[in-house]
PDB file of all heavy atoms in Angstrom:
ATOM      1  N   ARG A 110     -52.196  20.760   1.922  1.00  0.00           N
ATOM      2  CA  ARG A 110     -53.016  20.804   0.710  1.00  0.00           C
ATOM      3  C   ARG A 110     -52.622  22.016  -0.109  1.00  0.00           C
ATOM      4  O   ARG A 110     -52.348  23.099   0.419  1.00  0.00           O
ATOM      5  CB  ARG A 110     -54.501  20.881   1.048  1.00  0.00           C
ATOM      6  CG  ARG A 110     -55.082  19.581   1.516  1.00  0.00           C
ATOM      7  CD  ARG A 110     -54.788  18.452   0.590  1.00  0.00           C
ATOM      8  NE  ARG A 110     -55.949  18.019  -0.154  1.00  0.00           N
ATOM      9  CZ  ARG A 110     -55.890  17.044  -1.048  1.00  0.00           C
ATOM     10  NH1 ARG A 110     -54.761  16.448  -1.303  1.00  0.00           N
ATOM     11  NH2 ARG A 110     -56.951  16.681  -1.682  1.00  0.00           N
ATOM     12  N   ASP A 111     -52.622  21.856  -1.415  1.00  0.00           N
ATOM     13  CA  ASP A 111     -52.230  22.884  -2.362  1.00  0.00           C
ATOM     14  C   ASP A 111     -53.357  23.003  -3.384  1.00  0.00           C
ATOM     15  O   ASP A 111     -53.721  22.014  -4.012  1.00  0.00           O
ATOM     16  CB  ASP A 111     -50.914  22.446  -3.014  1.00  0.00           C
ATOM     17  CG  ASP A 111     -50.449  23.324  -4.153  1.00  0.00           C
ATOM     18  OD1 ASP A 111     -51.246  24.095  -4.708  1.00  0.00           O
ATOM     19  OD2 ASP A 111     -49.268  23.224  -4.507  1.00  0.00           O
ATOM     20  N   PHE A 112     -53.901  24.190  -3.547  1.00  0.00           N
ATOM     21  CA  PHE A 112     -54.999  24.408  -4.488  1.00  0.00           C
ATOM     22  C   PHE A 112     -54.595  25.354  -5.621  1.00  0.00           C
ATOM     23  O   PHE A 112     -55.441  26.022  -6.210  1.00  0.00           O
ATOM     24  CB  PHE A 112     -56.218  24.979  -3.748  1.00  0.00           C
ATOM     25  CG  PHE A 112     -56.826  24.004  -2.788  1.00  0.00           C
ATOM     26  CD1 PHE A 112     -56.452  24.010  -1.455  1.00  0.00           C
ATOM     27  CD2 PHE A 112     -57.759  23.076  -3.213  1.00  0.00           C
ATOM     28  CE1 PHE A 112     -57.002  23.108  -0.553  1.00  0.00           C
ATOM     29  CE2 PHE A 112     -58.320  22.168  -2.325  1.00  0.00           C
ATOM     30  CZ  PHE A 112     -57.946  22.189  -0.994  1.00  0.00           C
ATOM     31  N   LYS A 113     -53.299  25.413  -5.961  1.00  0.00           N
ATOM     32  CA  LYS A 113     -52.826  26.363  -6.967  1.00  0.00           C
ATOM     33  C   LYS A 113     -53.256  26.020  -8.389  1.00  0.00           C
ATOM     34  O   LYS A 113     -53.349  26.887  -9.228  1.00  0.00           O
ATOM     35  CB  LYS A 113     -51.312  26.495  -6.897  1.00  0.00           C
ATOM     36  CG  LYS A 113     -50.863  27.216  -5.669  1.00  0.00           C
ATOM     37  CD  LYS A 113     -49.369  27.432  -5.720  1.00  0.00           C
ATOM     38  CE  LYS A 113     -48.826  27.516  -4.346  1.00  0.00           C
ATOM     39  NZ  LYS A 113     -48.446  26.259  -3.769  1.00  0.00           N
ATOM     40  N   LEU A 114     -53.465  24.752  -8.664  1.00  0.00           N
ATOM     41  CA  LEU A 114     -53.953  24.349  -9.988  1.00  0.00           C
ATOM     42  C   LEU A 114     -55.450  24.069  -9.893  1.00  0.00           C
ATOM     43  O   LEU A 114     -56.082  24.314  -8.874  1.00  0.00           O
ATOM     44  CB  LEU A 114     -53.188  23.117 -10.486  1.00  0.00           C
ATOM     45  CG  LEU A 114     -51.705  23.345 -10.785  1.00  0.00           C
ATOM     46  CD1 LEU A 114     -51.063  22.070 -11.313  1.00  0.00           C
ATOM     47  CD2 LEU A 114     -51.503  24.473 -11.787  1.00  0.00           C
ATOM     48  N   ILE A 115     -56.015  23.526 -10.917  1.00  0.00           N
ATOM     49  CA  ILE A 115     -57.455  23.283 -10.975  1.00  0.00           C
ATOM     50  C   ILE A 115     -57.911  22.288  -9.912  1.00  0.00           C
ATOM     51  O   ILE A 115     -58.999  22.398  -9.379  1.00  0.00           O
ATOM     52  CB  ILE A 115     -57.834  22.782 -12.386  1.00  0.00           C
ATOM     53  CG1 ILE A 115     -57.515  23.872 -13.402  1.00  0.00           C
ATOM     54  CG2 ILE A 115     -59.289  22.373 -12.453  1.00  0.00           C
ATOM     55  CD1 ILE A 115     -57.550  23.409 -14.833  1.00  0.00           C
ATOM     56  N   TYR A 116     -57.079  21.346  -9.565  1.00  0.00           N
ATOM     57  CA  TYR A 116     -57.466  20.308  -8.608  1.00  0.00           C
ATOM     58  C   TYR A 116     -56.549  20.362  -7.378  1.00  0.00           C
ATOM     59  O   TYR A 116     -55.416  20.829  -7.459  1.00  0.00           O
ATOM     60  CB  TYR A 116     -57.402  18.923  -9.270  1.00  0.00           C
ATOM     61  CG  TYR A 116     -56.020  18.557  -9.754  1.00  0.00           C
ATOM     62  CD1 TYR A 116     -55.183  17.780  -8.971  1.00  0.00           C
ATOM     63  CD2 TYR A 116     -55.534  19.004 -10.976  1.00  0.00           C
ATOM     64  CE1 TYR A 116     -53.901  17.461  -9.387  1.00  0.00           C
ATOM     65  CE2 TYR A 116     -54.258  18.687 -11.403  1.00  0.00           C
ATOM     66  CZ  TYR A 116     -53.453  17.907 -10.608  1.00  0.00           C
ATOM     67  OH  TYR A 116     -52.185  17.595 -11.019  1.00  0.00           O
ATOM     68  N   PRO A 117     -57.039  19.887  -6.225  1.00  0.00           N
ATOM     69  CA  PRO A 117     -56.192  19.907  -5.021  1.00  0.00           C
ATOM     70  C   PRO A 117     -55.059  18.900  -5.120  1.00  0.00           C
ATOM     71  O   PRO A 117     -55.226  17.810  -5.673  1.00  0.00           O
ATOM     72  CB  PRO A 117     -57.161  19.532  -3.890  1.00  0.00           C
ATOM     73  CG  PRO A 117     -58.273  18.825  -4.552  1.00  0.00           C
ATOM     74  CD  PRO A 117     -58.359  19.348  -5.960  1.00  0.00           C
ATOM     75  N   ARG A 118     -53.904  19.300  -4.595  1.00  0.00           N
ATOM     76  CA  ARG A 118     -52.743  18.420  -4.571  1.00  0.00           C
ATOM     77  C   ARG A 118     -52.181  18.391  -3.161  1.00  0.00           C
ATOM     78  O   ARG A 118     -52.520  19.230  -2.338  1.00  0.00           O
ATOM     79  CB  ARG A 118     -51.656  18.928  -5.527  1.00  0.00           C
ATOM     80  CG  ARG A 118     -52.098  19.048  -6.955  1.00  0.00           C
ATOM     81  CD  ARG A 118     -50.998  19.595  -7.849  1.00  0.00           C
ATOM     82  NE  ARG A 118     -50.645  20.964  -7.471  1.00  0.00           N
ATOM     83  CZ  ARG A 118     -49.629  21.632  -7.983  1.00  0.00           C
ATOM     84  NH1 ARG A 118     -48.842  21.081  -8.870  1.00  0.00           N
ATOM     85  NH2 ARG A 118     -49.368  22.864  -7.596  1.00  0.00           N
ATOM     86  N   THR A 119     -51.267  17.434  -2.925  1.00  0.00           N
ATOM     87  CA  THR A 119     -50.558  17.368  -1.659  1.00  0.00           C
ATOM     88  C   THR A 119     -49.146  17.882  -1.882  1.00  0.00           C
ATOM     89  O   THR A 119     -48.353  17.263  -2.587  1.00  0.00           O
ATOM     90  CB  THR A 119     -50.526  15.919  -1.122  1.00  0.00           C
ATOM     91  OG1 THR A 119     -51.865  15.463  -0.948  1.00  0.00           O
ATOM     92  CG2 THR A 119     -49.787  15.853   0.200  1.00  0.00           C
ATOM     93  N   GLU A 120     -48.856  19.040  -1.300  1.00  0.00           N
ATOM     94  CA  GLU A 120     -47.522  19.632  -1.386  1.00  0.00           C
ATOM     95  C   GLU A 120     -46.659  18.989  -0.317  1.00  0.00           C
ATOM     96  O   GLU A 120     -47.126  18.679   0.772  1.00  0.00           O
ATOM     97  CB  GLU A 120     -47.639  21.150  -1.154  1.00  0.00           C
ATOM     98  CG  GLU A 120     -46.320  21.906  -1.261  1.00  0.00           C
ATOM     99  CD  GLU A 120     -45.559  22.048   0.049  1.00  0.00           C
ATOM    100  OE1 GLU A 120     -46.097  21.713   1.121  1.00  0.00           O
ATOM    101  OE2 GLU A 120     -44.397  22.489   0.001  1.00  0.00           O
ATOM    102  N   CYS A 121     -45.377  18.766  -0.628  1.00  0.00           N
ATOM    103  CA  CYS A 121     -44.461  18.262   0.392  1.00  0.00           C
ATOM    104  C   CYS A 121     -43.295  19.226   0.553  1.00  0.00           C
ATOM    105  O   CYS A 121     -42.853  19.854  -0.406  1.00  0.00           O
ATOM    106  CB  CYS A 121     -43.988  16.835   0.099  1.00  0.00           C
ATOM    107  SG  CYS A 121     -43.048  16.588  -1.400  1.00  0.00           S
ATOM    108  N   HIS A 122     -42.838  19.345   1.781  1.00  0.00           N
ATOM    109  CA  HIS A 122     -41.748  20.258   2.109  1.00  0.00           C
ATOM    110  C   HIS A 122     -40.852  19.619   3.153  1.00  0.00           C
ATOM    111  O   HIS A 122     -41.232  18.665   3.829  1.00  0.00           O
ATOM    112  CB  HIS A 122     -42.301  21.599   2.615  1.00  0.00           C
ATOM    113  CG  HIS A 122     -43.256  21.455   3.759  1.00  0.00           C
ATOM    114  ND1 HIS A 122     -44.613  21.321   3.570  1.00  0.00           N
ATOM    115  CD2 HIS A 122     -43.067  21.393   5.099  1.00  0.00           C
ATOM    116  CE1 HIS A 122     -45.206  21.198   4.737  1.00  0.00           C
ATOM    117  NE2 HIS A 122     -44.282  21.229   5.685  1.00  0.00           N
ATOM    118  N   CYS A 123     -39.664  20.147   3.274  1.00  0.00           N
ATOM    119  CA  CYS A 123     -38.721  19.674   4.284  1.00  0.00           C
ATOM    120  C   CYS A 123     -39.293  19.969   5.665  1.00  0.00           C
ATOM    121  O   CYS A 123     -39.706  21.092   5.951  1.00  0.00           O
ATOM    122  CB  CYS A 123     -37.382  20.387   4.101  1.00  0.00           C
ATOM    123  SG  CYS A 123     -36.187  20.023   5.411  1.00  0.00           S
ATOM    124  N   ARG A 124     -39.322  18.971   6.527  1.00  0.00           N
ATOM    125  CA  ARG A 124     -39.893  19.168   7.858  1.00  0.00           C
ATOM    126  C   ARG A 124     -38.986  20.015   8.745  1.00  0.00           C
ATOM    127  O   ARG A 124     -39.442  20.587   9.723  1.00  0.00           O
ATOM    128  CB  ARG A 124     -40.211  17.833   8.532  1.00  0.00           C
ATOM    129  CG  ARG A 124     -39.000  17.017   8.922  1.00  0.00           C
ATOM    130  CD  ARG A 124     -38.854  16.922  10.431  1.00  0.00           C
ATOM    131  NE  ARG A 124     -37.670  16.120  10.721  1.00  0.00           N
ATOM    132  CZ  ARG A 124     -36.653  16.553  11.432  1.00  0.00           C
ATOM    133  NH1 ARG A 124     -36.635  17.764  11.930  1.00  0.00           N
ATOM    134  NH2 ARG A 124     -35.627  15.766  11.661  1.00  0.00           N
ATOM    135  N   ARG A 125     -37.699  20.163   8.383  1.00  0.00           N
ATOM    136  CA  ARG A 125     -36.780  20.912   9.231  1.00  0.00           C
ATOM    137  C   ARG A 125     -36.697  22.398   8.886  1.00  0.00           C
ATOM    138  O   ARG A 125     -36.557  23.234   9.758  1.00  0.00           O
ATOM    139  CB  ARG A 125     -35.385  20.283   9.197  1.00  0.00           C
ATOM    140  CG  ARG A 125     -34.436  20.927  10.190  1.00  0.00           C
ATOM    141  CD  ARG A 125     -33.268  20.075  10.556  1.00  0.00           C
ATOM    142  NE  ARG A 125     -32.374  19.849   9.432  1.00  0.00           N
ATOM    143  CZ  ARG A 125     -31.317  19.052   9.491  1.00  0.00           C
ATOM    144  NH1 ARG A 125     -31.025  18.413  10.613  1.00  0.00           N
ATOM    145  NH2 ARG A 125     -30.553  18.892   8.449  1.00  0.00           N
ATOM    146  N   CYS A 126     -36.796  22.749   7.572  1.00  0.00           N
ATOM    147  CA  CYS A 126     -36.677  24.165   7.202  1.00  0.00           C
ATOM    148  C   CYS A 126     -37.881  24.693   6.424  1.00  0.00           C
ATOM    149  O   CYS A 126     -37.948  25.888   6.146  1.00  0.00           O
ATOM    150  CB  CYS A 126     -35.389  24.420   6.419  1.00  0.00           C
ATOM    151  SG  CYS A 126     -35.376  23.781   4.741  1.00  0.00           S
ATOM    152  N   GLY A 127     -38.828  23.818   6.069  1.00  0.00           N
ATOM    153  CA  GLY A 127     -40.030  24.258   5.377  1.00  0.00           C
ATOM    154  C   GLY A 127     -39.869  24.471   3.892  1.00  0.00           C
ATOM    155  O   GLY A 127     -40.816  24.893   3.220  1.00  0.00           O
ATOM    156  N   SER A 128     -38.702  24.185   3.333  1.00  0.00           N
ATOM    157  CA  SER A 128     -38.491  24.396   1.897  1.00  0.00           C
ATOM    158  C   SER A 128     -39.369  23.470   1.062  1.00  0.00           C
ATOM    159  O   SER A 128     -39.498  22.280   1.347  1.00  0.00           O
ATOM    160  CB  SER A 128     -37.027  24.166   1.535  1.00  0.00           C
ATOM    161  OG  SER A 128     -36.230  25.190   2.080  1.00  0.00           O
ATOM    162  N   HIS A 129     -39.963  24.033   0.019  1.00  0.00           N
ATOM    163  CA  HIS A 129     -40.817  23.293  -0.905  1.00  0.00           C
ATOM    164  C   HIS A 129     -39.977  22.274  -1.671  1.00  0.00           C
ATOM    165  O   HIS A 129     -38.939  22.606  -2.245  1.00  0.00           O
ATOM    166  CB  HIS A 129     -41.469  24.273  -1.886  1.00  0.00           C
ATOM    167  CG  HIS A 129     -42.263  23.634  -2.956  1.00  0.00           C
ATOM    168  ND1 HIS A 129     -43.449  22.981  -2.720  1.00  0.00           N
ATOM    169  CD2 HIS A 129     -42.049  23.561  -4.286  1.00  0.00           C
ATOM    170  CE1 HIS A 129     -43.936  22.523  -3.871  1.00  0.00           C
ATOM    171  NE2 HIS A 129     -43.096  22.869  -4.830  1.00  0.00           N
ATOM    172  N   LEU A 130     -40.438  21.023  -1.668  1.00  0.00           N
ATOM    173  CA  LEU A 130     -39.756  19.956  -2.399  1.00  0.00           C
ATOM    174  C   LEU A 130     -40.516  19.565  -3.656  1.00  0.00           C
ATOM    175  O   LEU A 130     -39.923  19.319  -4.693  1.00  0.00           O
ATOM    176  CB  LEU A 130     -39.581  18.725  -1.503  1.00  0.00           C
ATOM    177  CG  LEU A 130     -38.767  18.930  -0.227  1.00  0.00           C
ATOM    178  CD1 LEU A 130     -38.814  17.679   0.642  1.00  0.00           C
ATOM    179  CD2 LEU A 130     -37.336  19.317  -0.558  1.00  0.00           C
TER     180      LEU A 130
END
Side-chain angles (χ1 to χ4, degrees):
R110 285 308 252 179
D111 173 342
F112 293 94
K113 289 185 207 89
L114 293 182
I115 297 167
Y116 61 96
R118 301 178 296 173
T119 301
E120 182 269 351
C121 63
H122 54 269
C123 173
R124 69 112 180 122
R125 187 159 66 185
C126 72
S128 291
H129 175 69
L130 300 173

